[in-house]
Amino acid sequence: MSEPITLNVGGKLYTTSLSTLTSFPDSMLGAMFSGKIPTKKDSQGHCFIDRDGKIFRYILNFLRTSHLDLPEDFQEMGLLRREVDFYQIQPLIEALQEKEVELSKAEKNAMLNISLDQKTQTVHFTVREAPQIYSLSSSNMEVFSAHIFSTSCLFLKLLGSKLYYCFNGNLSSISSYLQDPNHLTLDWVASVEGLPEEEYTRQNLKRLWVVPDNKQINTFQVFVEEVLKIAMSDGFCIDSSHPHTSDFMNNKIIRLIRYK
């Protein structure tokens, strides 16, 4: 084993050996640490590489073991692909391509299950009628909840790119609310006539929008239509065996399947 070398990759430190870094001489790392390409140093004297520090662990582990080991819930294939392209380790490029084919096959057959709930809630708020004159008002508000499970992580990502919460004057993707790669719970309200915009923020009330159509979802019927549109564009179809037809038509349960 050669002497240890500490690398600073995007601010994250890794310690390895020269022999590991040069195990593939034709790669970017092989060229950098054989002297073919000059390297930069940080303030501590560590070799500095201005790339993603978190992803580098998978690159380094491949240099050590010649195996591409990723966690089951790995969600950054696009970023890993870009980093692999940069380092130009040919066996790693091939291993990543094989992994992507494997994941693609696993994703082809999928199930999507959505259970829906709706209730009416009274919301109380103040209305400014004139400077320093306020009145107390109330109105009924429709509150929606959707519990979504899919065996396809990629479909939930697709759904997250289409549905956005509107809160505090901003739109934010529902992707940030994923409980895990396969589960998503959405809670939102319909717009309430006369409710001031600041009251939605004060009472933590989110509304749901479809992007890029800029359509607000104020009913379950619209939600079901939009989800079906997105799912069917991704190859899903309605599972005729489940749920019961009356449940589906009453917007209680949606189950779709995809076979490829």
Side-chain angles (χ1 to χ4, degrees), residues 4 18 44 99 103 129 132 205 231 233 251-252 257 260:
L18 182 62
Q44 304 298 315
K99 180 71 71 173
L103 291 174
E129 297 180 345
Q132 299 182 346
L205 303 174
S233 71
N251 295 337
K252 294 178 181 177
I257 52 177
K260 290 185 179 181

Side-chain angles (χ1 to χ4, degrees), residues 205-245:
L205 303 174
K206 301 183 186 73
R207 287 160 290 176
L208 193 62
W209 287 74
V210 182
V211 174
D213 296 342
N214 291 328
K215 179 192 294 185
Q216 186 174 353
I217 298 178
N218 276 323
T219 67
F220 262 150
Q221 180 178 350
V222 174
F223 177 78
V224 170
E225 289 173 355
E226 293 299 328
V227 170
L228 286 177
K229 188 188 304 181
I230 297 167
M232 289 181 173
S233 71
D234 199 42
F236 283 90
C237 61
I238 297 171
D239 185 351
S240 58
S241 64
H242 181 86
H244 191 274
T245 305

Side-chain angles (χ1 to χ4, degrees), residues 11-210:
K12 192 170 180 63
L13 298 182
Y14 290 91
T15 300
T16 184
S17 66
L18 182 62
S19 59
T20 296
L21 293 172
T22 56
S23 54
F24 295 95
D26 295 332
S27 69
M28 179 65 74
L29 290 171
M32 290 172 65
F33 291 94
S34 64
K36 296 178 182 178
I37 297 177
T39 58
K40 297 179 181 179
K41 303 282 187 179
D42 66 9
S43 60
Q44 304 298 315
H46 305 313
C47 293
F48 176 72
I49 302 175
D50 191 15
R51 301 297 298 186
D52 190 276
K54 179 181 175 183
I55 291 294
F56 187 72
R57 64 174 293 197
Y58 305 110
I59 311 290
L60 183 57
N61 282 338
F62 184 86
L63 294 178
R64 291 166 170 161
T65 66
S66 295
H67 291 282
L68 178 58
D69 298 310
L70 301 175
E72 290 186 4
D73 60 347
F74 186 70
Q75 298 294 305
E76 298 181 294
M77 289 297 289
L79 178 57
L80 177 59
R81 190 183 308 112
R82 286 190 292 274
E83 296 303 294
V84 168
D85 286 342
F86 172 78
Y87 290 108
Q88 284 297 301
I89 303 167
Q90 191 58 39
L92 176 55
I93 292 174
E94 295 169 1
L96 180 59
Q97 290 171 344
E98 292 176 4
K99 180 71 71 173
E100 289 181 316
V101 169
E102 178 185 321
L103 291 174
S104 176
K105 289 180 179 178
E107 282 278 355
K108 286 182 178 179
N109 297 332
M111 185 268 287
L112 170 64
N113 194 84
I114 306 176
S115 58
L116 307 169
D117 187 42
Q118 178 179 359
K119 62 183 179 181
T120 302
Q121 180 177 311
T122 301
V123 58
H124 302 280
F125 55 95
T126 56
V127 177
R128 184 181 184 185
E129 297 180 345
Q132 299 182 346
I133 299 177
Y134 296 86
S135 63
L136 184 62
S137 184
S138 63
S139 182
N140 288 335
M141 174 179 63
E142 296 303 316
V143 181
F144 307 104
S145 180
H147 300 278
I148 304 171
F149 168 79
S150 179
T151 56
S152 171
C153 304
L154 294 180
F155 174 74
L156 288 187
K157 283 188 174 182
L158 174 63
L159 199 63
S161 71
K162 304 290 187 180
L163 299 180
Y164 279 66
Y165 277 135
C166 176
F167 184 71
N168 197 23
N170 298 308
L171 290 177
S172 61
S173 170
I174 63 170
S175 295
S176 58
Y177 295 85
L178 278 169
Q179 297 166 303
D180 62 54
N182 299 101
H183 293 85
L184 174 66
T185 297
L186 299 178
D187 296 290
W188 76 97
V189 301
S191 290
V192 178
E193 186 176 354
L195 182 65
E197 190 65 29
E198 61 269 17
E199 285 294 323
Y200 288 96
T201 301
R202 191 180 70 82
Q203 300 195 37
N204 196 30
L205 303 174
K206 301 183 186 73
R207 287 160 290 176
L208 193 62
W209 287 74
V210 182

